[in-house]
Amino acid sequence: WLARQMERAVVAEPLADGAAVLFMGREVTLWWDAAHSRTPKLANDSLLIGGEATSLPGRVTRWMQSQARAAMADDLAFYCARAAVSAPSLSIGDARSRWGSCSLRGGIRMNWRLIMAIPEVRRSVVAHEVAHLRHMDHSPQFYAYLDALFDGDRRACDAWLKTNGARLRAFGAV
């Protein structure tokens, strides 16, 4: 069993010049050159980044987190408007076992790594957490409400995360 698990494990590629990373569901290549701006810049299928090579992993991660916050804030506003509820506070984190959570007080916390997933997957997780504002459980009523709220194929998004989640979690791992 352990050997099979090890064979299926995703090996993290170091964040360095030439590394392939996912961003909004598409693979982009990191291109480091000291002459580029220190702030990463997306150009077609490339993420251009300059500055010190040793600080590249941290800067790429912080850029991804800022992109996640902006995209998820837009998603949250969209689904809260659809649900006719006020948008709760949004925080961005890096939980090891959850993609999102909704507190009893209504705050929503999202895993920034979802910015690497295809947008529909990220949006499905945001919609899931917004649905918890009405149903704080995973009852049939919750899923009926979620299916009415989310404008995509929830099951396909869940399957995508099950298949690709380990790759998202391996990003930037040492």
Side-chain angles (χ1 to χ4, degrees):
W1 177 86
L2 184 57
R4 283 193 314 272
Q5 298 304 313
M6 296 295 285
E7 287 173 6
R8 293 191 333 212
V10 175
V11 177
E13 183 177 344
L15 291 177
D17 186 40
V21 299
L22 285 177
F23 180 70
M24 292 194 178
R26 66 181 224 249
E27 200 163 89
V28 296
T29 304
L30 293 179
W31 294 114
W32 175 83
D33 185 320
H36 290 314
S37 169
R38 290 180 51 81
T39 302
K41 179 182 176 191
L42 192 61
N44 297 317
D45 290 332
S46 299
L47 188 59
L48 309 174
I49 187 166
E52 293 291 322
T54 56
S55 64
L56 182 139
R59 283 184 286 119
V60 170
T61 299
R62 285 188 299 278
W63 180 81
M64 289 269 205
Q65 290 167 339
S66 72
Q67 298 298 307
R69 175 173 294 287
M72 291 175 193
D74 289 345
D75 297 340
L76 183 60
F78 176 83
Y79 286 110
C80 285
R82 279 186 75 132
V85 298
S86 297
S89 64
L90 171 67
S91 60
I92 304 297
D94 191 14
R96 291 179 186 225
S97 63
R98 294 180 182 219
W99 295 110
S101 64
C102 179
S103 74
L104 289 172
R105 295 182 185 196
I108 290 181
R109 185 168 183 81
M110 299 297 300
N111 192 315
W112 69 266
R113 294 172 183 277
L114 286 169
I115 197 64
M116 294 180 273
I118 58 175
E120 185 176 24
V121 168
R122 182 194 71 239
R123 292 172 57 84
S124 76
V125 178
V126 173
H128 182 108
E129 299 313 326
V130 170
H132 278 310
L133 296 172
R134 179 159 299 167
H135 297 280
M136 255 326 205
D137 56 25
H138 288 116
S139 65
Q141 293 83 8
F142 166 82
Y143 283 108
Y145 183 68
L146 174 58
D147 288 339
L149 182 64
F150 181 54
D151 51 344
D153 183 344
R154 169 182 59 86
R155 287 178 180 86
C157 291
D158 292 348
W160 191 98
L161 267 178
K162 185 172 181 139
T163 301
N164 297 284
R167 183 172 181 199
L168 305 187
R169 293 191 191 285
F171 175 84
V174 179

